[in-house]
Amino acid sequence: MRSRILLVLAFVCLYGCASTGGPRHVATVSVVTSHGTLMLIDATEEKLVCDTAGAPQAPMCVPPATHKAISAKLAQAFDLDADVARTVKAMPVGTPTTPQVLELLSKISVLVSDVMALIPQSSARESLAVQIGGK
Amino acid sequence: MDFDKAQLLINLAGQAIPIASGAVASIMQLIATARAQAEQDGVVFDDAALDKVIAEAEAAAARRRSEADPPLAESTD
């Protein structure tokens, strides 16, 4: 999934550079896209925790211990999410995207893959994977 | 451009990954149009979007940190 997300981000960057705004605007779109993915995973996983109203039955629900592990990874991912947004916001208009932006997005992508690997198989997880373009 | 329109475009951009194969061009065009309108209106579209990301990410990080075990320390960077 990581490679696919990076591929999409690269595509967005390449397309954006050719058609709209400058690097800062293109980086903004990449950050917003990455953030949207995290928010979707966050909201979906919360609904899958065992004993939550509407959650699937075991073994398809997320056990409490796994939920805590996922929360730790998502906390890191959201910290990076805020960091990359601050980094892009600090970029002067017209300057090239810094390697730091791509590095932060790459780290988020790794954490997304880790989180997806922790979520048990279910129709909701499958739907989530389709929505974010992963497995 | 008012903030509701910016919100709509942020939401659209948030969907860029799942529909990347067919609709990125449309999304980029929408954002380009909004960006041009924002500049005309004297509003910095990118900054509004990034501020929203920062606020949401900080809130979500704090919430997830409180759900993690053991509790994680606040980020120091």
Side-chain angles (χ1 to χ4, degrees), chain A residues 9-33 88 91 97 101 105, chain B residues 28 31 35 46:
Chain A
L9 290 176
F11 175 77
V12 169
C13 288
L14 288 172
Y15 186 87
C17 289
S19 63
T20 66
R24 189 178 187 275
H25 178 65
V26 173
T28 298
V29 174
S30 296
V31 168
V32 170
T33 301
V88 173
M91 284 170 55
T97 303
V101 171
L105 289 172
Chain B
M28 296 304 290
I31 291 174
R35 182 172 182 270
D46 288 356

Side-chain angles (χ1 to χ4, degrees), chain A residues 1-10 106 109-110 113 133 135:
Chain A
M1 178 165 66
R2 179 187 175 199
S3 59
R4 189 164 173 185
I5 290 174
L6 289 176
L7 183 67
V8 170
L9 290 176
S106 176
S109 185
V110 170
S113 295
K135 293 179 181 175

Side-chain angles (χ1 to χ4, degrees), chain A residues 78-98:
Chain A
F78 278 119
D79 282 340
L80 294 168
D81 188 26
D83 285 348
V84 71
R86 286 190 205 96
T87 301
V88 173
K89 193 177 177 191
M91 284 170 55
V93 174
T95 57
T97 303
T98 64

